[in-house]
């Protein structure tokens, strides 16, 4: 029996005002690294789309569970919208797992 793959999530551009950063995000980024990230977000739109911001709607809001620093960098450089993927139906435990994996 062949493995059935889930359909791939589609990247959707969403306004920064529609999404919410994760409270108590464990990720810390140094000033130099943040400046490089800002330049990358601004100058490499194709790469940003290949590594979109991951959202969960578990709480009824679109909360970032992977990509909080990219979100901040996008704000810093004046972007109005960012590439995102929304994961539906996650449990709180699965969200935490994704947050940890993204920050390792």
């Amino acid at each position: 029996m062949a493995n059935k793959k889930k359909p791939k999530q589609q990247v959707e551009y969403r306004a920064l005002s529609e999404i919410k950063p994760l409270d108590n995000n464990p990720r810390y980024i140094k000033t130099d690294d943040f400046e490089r990230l800002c330049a990358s977000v601004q100058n490499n739109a194709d790469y940003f789309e290949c590594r979109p911001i991951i959202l969960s709607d578990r709480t009824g809001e679109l909360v970032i569970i992977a990509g909080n620093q990219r979100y901040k960098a996008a704000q810093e450089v004046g972007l109005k919208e960012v590439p995102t993927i929304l994961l539906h139906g996650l449990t709180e435990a699965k969200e935490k797992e994704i947050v940890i994996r993204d920050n390792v």
Side-chain angles (χ1 to χ4, degrees):
M1 183 183 263
N3 288 338
K4 285 192 172 185
K5 291 186 178 184
K6 289 183 182 179
K8 288 189 178 191
Q9 301 288 337
Q10 294 294 317
V11 172
E12 182 177 334
Y13 277 77
R14 289 185 169 85
L16 289 175
S17 60
E18 291 180 38
I19 61 180
K20 179 182 175 195
L22 180 67
D23 289 335
N24 302 314
N25 180 40
R27 178 85 167 144
Y28 169 78
I29 188 168
K30 296 178 184 177
T31 302
D32 293 358
D33 292 336
F34 184 70
E35 289 172 359
R36 281 192 289 278
L37 179 58
C38 288
S40 177
V41 163
Q42 189 169 32
N43 299 323
N44 299 301
D46 290 341
Y47 180 72
F48 194 7
E49 189 169 297
C50 290
R51 194 144 183 330
I53 292 172
I54 308 299
L55 306 171
S56 172
D57 60 359
R58 179 183 59 80
T59 64
E61 296 181 290
L62 298 178
V63 178
I64 300 167
I65 57 173
N68 282 277
Q69 298 303 322
R70 282 171 275 148
Y71 169 83
K72 288 181 183 179
Q75 284 182 311
E76 181 73 21
V77 301
L79 296 182
K80 300 295 183 212
E81 56 183 26
V82 292
T84 67
I85 291 181
L86 175 58
L87 301 180
H88 297 283
L90 297 178
T91 63
E92 187 174 358
K94 188 63 175 176
E95 284 179 1
K96 287 180 181 180
E97 178 187 332
I98 293 168
V99 168
I100 290 167
R101 288 179 185 273
D102 187 59
N103 288 313
V104 171

